[in-house]
Amino acid sequence: MEKVNIVLTGFMGTGKTTVGKLLAQQLGFEFMDTDVLIEERAGKTIPEIFEQMGEAAFRQMEADLARELADRQGVVISTGGRMMLDPDNAAALTSTGRVFCLVATPEEILKRVTQDDDHERPLLAVADPMKRIVDLMQEREDDYGRFPQMQTSQKSPDVVSKNLIGILQANPDLRVPISASMASYEFIVGGGILPFVSHLGGIVGPMAIVTDTNIGPRYAKSCGAVDIVIQVSPGQQHKTLETVQQISEQLVEQGFDRSGTIVGLGGSVISGLAGFVAATYMRGVDLVHCPTSLLAMIDTSIGGKVGINLPQGKNLIGAFKQPKAVIADVATLQSLSPNEFAYGMAEVIKHGLIGGGELFESIKNGSWTWEAWPQQPPAAVLQDLVAQAIQVKIQIVQEDPFEEGRRAVLNLGHTFAHAIEHASDHTVSHGEAVAMGLVAASNLSARQGYCPKHLQPTIETVLANAGLPCRIPASISSAEILTAIQRDKKRRGERLRVILLRDVGDIFVAENVPLAAIQATLTALRTPA
Ligand SMILES: NC(=O)c1ccc[n+]([C@@H]2O[C@H](COP(=O)([O-])OP(=O)(O)OC[C@H]3O[C@@H](n4cnc5c(N)ncnc54)[C@H](O)[C@@H]3O)[C@@H](O)[C@H]2O)c1
Ligand SMILES: [Zn+2]
């Protein structure tokens, strides 16, 4: 690995020193703590420097040190709490180093600093230290928010260090070209690439980020110089015309015009919303997708479909809008909840089954399983997974840009999935339903003699390793699922069209599948695994 410096910043108690030392050890780098270095050189403690020489003198020492360290190579630098908040220091250290801001919840910070006897924390010598931590974090949120964040809560320093190494080892610049009707652009996948969005996306004019209130506070500031940030409420229920109107009005109020680019920073809901606004605002402005959920990375951000929901149904209003670039930073997946991560894995596994070859093998043989949570697969592994999964979709979308035939295979497992979601009154999530749907598709394929019987248990193991369910809950009636399937297919007959498998990588559209076989599969999947 290239010997750039690694700079850790963040609030007290986020583990800059402990993680920094481990990281240096694991990378064979030197470790330096700027506070310790300043104390050694001055022959005084920091409180003594403040008292005898004044804060300005201390800040000058930090500035000199920042310039000095920027000239070094292969050093992990743990910085004093405020050092990187000075723009000149930050500029010097980022010129030769990758900066990460370690973050933790206030509860975890309080726990860690009260357990740490080595440091005096004068800032917290107050009646209500918890309130003090929350206030200070809020005060510094904007400043720290400029750097890529690494969550450390509920992770051991070793796990944090390994997560960081994963991000560092991820190829920062893996590019997959996509050519769509009338457009060609790149899908760029890397670790820690959000700060380079404007450069990677070729954005020249003003940049307006559209995001939700879960993602915006974490990542909007990481995207470099942003002119406008619009945050909407998270969730499918807000993928509406009303939200489109809110976003558009805010853009008008802030003087955003056709020279600008809309950056959709978020999951599938944001891809749909930001894409729809970009397709319609002033008859269309440039769009860059920055997907932050696994599902949005490997599915929703490719294919150019953007849309919003009506009370009568999902995605009933929409457009085809190709982005100028898709920039997927796998480091953002760190903050995805375990469930959302697993739901994304259901579609990655679906892509693996469709594409076959290396992707399915790497998921099947990968060392990571659900039990390892809260440790996600290393960023380098995630980056490969995303790169391979999108290639499956890109290839199929390019073969069939207007959804006339081949693209149907992308619906593997979805006939069952949509019906299960519906029959469960949406208590089963889309990702869980897709997992059950994939098992059902393999069961039905074997039942009809298309694929070997051992395929189903193989698929089940892969799904279970990703934390996904393989059986339909007994509380959902088979009759209702069957009715929903028939309604979906707009067919009342005894035979239906379903996407089935001959093998991994050999997916086809089966016509005339008997309803009785589908019923038998539903019954089989209700028996406990
Ligand atoms: N029919 C299909 O095959 C299909 C395809 C794509 C999407 N969908 C729909 O999309 C939805 C799921 O997609 P999604 O997960 O991308 O949706 P989403 O945008 O709703 O994201 C899910 C949640 O995760 C949060 N989130 C996203 N990225 C995060 C991050 N990096 N850190 C912390 N929180 C983050 C979001 O704020 C949101 O609360 C489902 O409702 C599904 O039905 C369906
Ligand atoms: Zn899906």
Side-chain angles (χ1 to χ4, degrees):
M1 196 170 71
E2 202 190 340
K3 282 213 155 188
V4 295
N5 295 332
I6 294 149
V7 184
L8 302 181
T9 181
F11 204 71
M12 70 179 92
T14 49
K16 284 172 297 188
T17 306
T18 326
V19 170
K21 280 183 183 160
L22 265 172
L23 192 61
Q25 206 178 31
Q26 286 161 351
L27 290 170
F29 279 27
E30 207 176 325
F31 173 76
M32 285 179 190
D33 181 315
T34 59
D35 280 351
V36 173
L37 218 56
I38 288 176
E39 288 187 330
E40 277 172 12
R41 289 183 180 180
K44 298 180 188 352
T45 65
I46 290 174
E48 285 167 357
I49 299 175
F50 267 69
E51 210 175 296
Q52 299 166 16
M53 305 167 75
E55 177 169 353
F58 176 74
R59 298 292 166 215
Q60 188 56 49
M61 291 178 195
E62 278 192 327
D64 294 342
L65 192 56
R67 271 188 293 275
E68 183 190 322
L69 292 177
D71 283 337
R72 302 276 302 265
Q73 270 198 334
V75 189
V76 176
I77 304 164
S78 157
T79 58
R82 300 192 55 83
M83 182 162 175
M84 291 298 282
L85 306 188
D86 176 281
D88 291 333
N89 295 349
L93 288 172
T94 32
S95 66
T96 53
R98 302 267 310 260
V99 184
F100 294 95
C101 177
L102 303 189
V103 297
T105 58
E107 293 77 19
E108 185 114 359
I109 287 177
L110 183 63
K111 196 173 87 195
R112 288 181 193 163
V113 295
T114 37
Q115 280 166 358
D116 174 9
D117 304 328
D118 292 350
H119 283 81
E120 272 182 55
R121 307 279 188 184
L123 273 178
L124 298 184
V126 290
D128 185 352
M130 185 66 179
K131 182 175 179 309
R132 181 91 180 116
I133 290 174
V134 172
D135 290 347
L136 279 172
M137 279 174 88
Q138 251 162 19
E139 216 172 87
R140 297 183 186 177
E141 188 179 286
D142 279 2
D143 291 319
Y144 284 134
R146 286 183 292 137
F147 304 109
Q149 313 272 300
M150 168 58 69
Q151 185 55 250
T152 66
S153 295
Q154 293 173 356
K155 290 184 190 169
S156 69
D158 191 49
V159 167
V160 178
S161 169
K162 293 214 168 92
N163 285 169
L164 284 169
I165 291 176
I167 291 176
L168 292 164
Q169 285 172 341
N171 183 340
D173 204 348
L174 218 156
R175 289 157 183 264
V176 185
I178 303 181
S179 58
S181 52
M182 321 258 286
S184 64
Y185 58 96
E186 279 182 323
F187 191 114
I188 304 165
V189 50
I193 56 175
L194 267 192
F196 314 111
V197 162
S198 121
H199 169 70
L200 295 172
I203 299 173
V204 278
M207 178 161 137
I209 290 192
V210 174
T211 185
D212 74 24
T213 49
N214 286 335
I215 300 150
R218 288 189 166 98
Y219 301 115
K221 291 255 169 46
S222 312
C223 300
V226 181
D227 302 280
I228 301 170
V229 177
I230 298 174
Q231 299 189 26
V232 301
S233 305
Q236 276 289 344
Q237 71 275 27
H238 296 290
K239 212 175 82 161
T240 58
L241 269 178
E242 202 186 333
T243 312
V244 168
Q245 179 165 357
Q246 268 172 28
I247 299 169
S248 306
E249 285 185 10
Q250 288 191 46
L251 289 173
V252 175
E253 277 160 22
Q254 307 211 37
F256 189 76
D257 64 17
R258 298 208 57 202
S259 64
T261 300
I262 290 182
V263 175
L265 175 71
S268 305
V269 170
I270 290 296
S271 305
L273 273 171
F276 188 84
V277 172
T280 52
Y281 183 75
M282 297 191 173
R283 297 200 183 82
V285 294
D286 281 343
L287 169 70
V288 167
H289 281 302
C290 292
T292 63
S293 74
L294 189 52
L295 181 62
M297 285 184 190
I298 62 131
D299 191 0
T300 338
S301 60
I302 315 158
K305 288 203 257 177
V306 299
I308 50 171
N309 305 333
L310 284 183
Q312 288 83 354
K314 281 188 178 178
N315 297 317
L316 288 181
I317 308 182
F320 279 96
K321 172 77 185 173
Q322 301 298 347
K324 278 188 73 191
V326 183
I327 300 165
D329 184 346
V330 295
T332 60
L333 299 177
Q334 287 288 336
S335 55
L336 205 59
S337 73
N339 284 339
E340 297 292 349
F341 185 85
Y343 302 159
M345 278 305 291
E347 306 272 1
V348 173
I349 293 166
K350 181 197 79 178
H351 282 37
L353 288 169
I354 297 169
E358 220 184 299
L359 174 57
F360 191 75
E361 283 305 304
S362 62
I363 307 171
K364 197 171 88 187
N365 303 328
S367 54
W368 184 87
T369 68
W370 182 250
E371 274 72 53
W373 203 273
Q375 191 181 354
Q376 291 184 356
V381 172
L382 280 175
Q383 188 184 8
D384 281 349
L385 218 57
V386 171
Q388 290 178 40
I390 59 165
Q391 262 150 343
V392 173
K393 177 147 182 187
I394 291 167
Q395 200 183 341
I396 290 169
V397 170
Q398 285 180 175
E399 273 173 36
D400 179 16
F402 300 108
E403 280 197 285
E404 288 161 340
R406 178 82 184 131
R407 203 150 158 175
V409 299
L410 288 171
N411 281 329
L412 179 66
H414 277 61
T415 296
F416 288 102
H418 289 145
I420 293 167
E421 275 179 273
H422 185 85
S424 79
D425 223 357
H426 293 270
T427 52
V428 172
S429 74
H430 182 67
E432 291 169 308
V434 169
M436 297 168 197
L438 294 175
V439 178
S442 64
N443 181 284
L444 184 55
S445 303
R447 191 174 296 279
Q448 294 300 94
Y450 291 119
C451 80
K453 278 215 166 71
H454 64 75
L455 198 55
Q456 184 186 336
T458 307
I459 294 174
E460 287 182 7
T461 308
V462 172
L463 290 167
N465 279 345
L468 289 158
C470 299
R471 289 288 177 276
I472 301 167
S475 55
I476 310 172
S477 96
S478 298
E480 272 186 60
I481 300 174
L482 209 59
T483 313
I485 290 178
Q486 284 177 296
R487 194 181 315 118
D488 186 37
K489 300 271 169 185
K490 297 176 188 66
R491 285 276 299 267
R492 295 242 158 254
E494 288 301 304
R495 289 175 175 273
L496 295 177
R497 193 171 180 257
V498 189
I499 319 292
L500 294 181
L501 309 94
R502 286 191 199 92
D503 202 347
V504 176
D506 189 356
I507 312 299
F508 69 106
V509 182
E511 308 284 350
N512 298 322
V513 178
L515 212 54
I518 297 176
Q519 197 156 21
T521 286
L522 289 173
T523 310
L525 291 204
R526 288 159 58 85
T527 359

